[in-house]
Amino acid sequence: MKKYLKSLLFFSLLIIVLSFKDNNCDCDYRCNVKTISDLEVKKINWTPKNTTIKTLKKIIQPYPVDDKKFDKKIRFGYEFNVYQFNCRIDQIMKSDNGDYVLIMSDLRDTTNKIVGKIPNPKCDYVSKSSFVKSFNSVRNDLDELNSDNIKFSNYTVTGVYYFDEVYGIQIYPIMDIIKSWEKY
């Protein structure tokens, strides 16, 4: 009986500890750029450029991989731009670090897709961003969407261009999502 109680106590404590550990808040070397808390934030052009996902996918972001002097931690190139586009949201996921990850497709050519992310405000490095209220607001808007109708609606998404060396073009962070049309 004591062994059973010890096991029960252990698993109860484990569940409590895991429930308080909301997410793995690790961030790679560009977390300041992703949360708009980098030193170059003042250089961002906050007037959104209207575009499409198909057009965004054509942007070639020069990433000086072989340049040893280039600091990959800083914002560069198109990352000083904010883009706005209409899309469908194909999928919403939560990554290991608690970021919301959206797979979005172009309205006219659904084979053109782009990833957008909204940082997890519960992570320390995100909570220090002056944009944490915006991240909370967008995440709350997504939480309120009817998941059954997500794929049948059109959205206007606004966010900052981000280039990932491995995954390419992303919108990270998404700053606003507005439901623009719903099929009933």
Side-chain angles (χ1 to χ4, degrees):
M1 183 71 166
K2 284 184 181 182
K3 188 175 183 180
Y4 171 76
L5 288 175
K6 279 185 177 181
S7 295
L8 183 62
L9 180 63
F10 171 77
F11 286 113
S12 297
L13 287 173
L14 181 63
I15 289 169
I16 291 169
V17 168
L18 290 176
S19 67
F20 282 110
K21 184 181 175 9
D22 185 42
N23 296 297
N24 175 5
C25 285
D26 291 338
C27 182
D28 67 5
Y29 61 98
R30 299 199 76 207
C31 56
N32 288 338
V33 174
K34 294 174 182 178
T35 60
I36 322 175
S37 52
D38 56 300
L39 297 175
E40 294 86 16
V41 72
K42 292 178 182 176
K43 298 177 187 175
I44 293 175
N45 177 358
W46 289 104
T47 303
K49 296 174 188 264
N50 288 316
T51 190
T52 64
I53 290 175
K54 187 174 184 174
T55 302
L56 272 175
K57 297 283 289 182
K58 291 179 183 177
I59 293 176
I60 298 172
Q61 172 77 352
Y63 200 89
V65 176
D66 298 328
D67 186 351
K68 304 262 189 243
K69 295 178 185 176
F70 179 72
D71 184 0
K72 296 177 186 176
K73 297 177 198 167
I74 64 168
R75 181 177 304 277
F76 67 100
Y78 291 97
E79 293 179 336
F80 293 101
N81 295 322
V82 174
Y83 290 95
Q84 186 173 66
F85 52 88
N86 294 321
C87 66
R88 286 218 175 94
I89 298 174
D90 297 328
Q91 191 174 7
I92 300 174
M93 303 169 281
K94 204 173 194 182
S95 67
D96 290 342
N97 68 356
D99 287 357
Y100 280 13
V101 180
L102 283 67
I103 309 297
M104 302 170 288
S105 61
D106 192 273
L107 291 180
R108 293 188 179 178
D109 183 356
T110 57
T111 62
N112 280 296
K113 298 184 185 303
I114 194 165
V115 171
K117 297 182 181 179
I118 307 160
N120 178 6
K122 293 181 182 175
C123 292
D124 283 343
Y125 68 93
V126 179
S127 66
K128 294 174 186 170
S129 171
S130 58
F131 293 91
V132 72
K133 288 182 182 178
S134 296
F135 304 149
N136 272 319
S137 176
V138 175
R139 289 169 69 96
N140 289 337
D141 290 347
L142 278 176
D143 290 341
E144 290 177 12
L145 290 176
N146 180 346
S147 60
D148 295 334
N149 290 334
I150 287 175
K151 290 185 180 184
F152 300 106
S153 301
N154 293 352
Y155 299 88
T156 301
V157 173
T158 305
V160 182
Y161 182 100
Y162 176 78
F163 185 80
D164 185 279
E165 189 174 6
V166 177
Y167 300 108
I169 298 167
Q170 297 180 8
I171 300 299
Y172 200 166
I174 292 174
M175 300 300 290
D176 195 23
I177 295 177
I178 299 170
K179 188 181 216 177
S180 53
W181 178 83
E182 182 174 0
K183 181 178 178 180
Y184 293 98

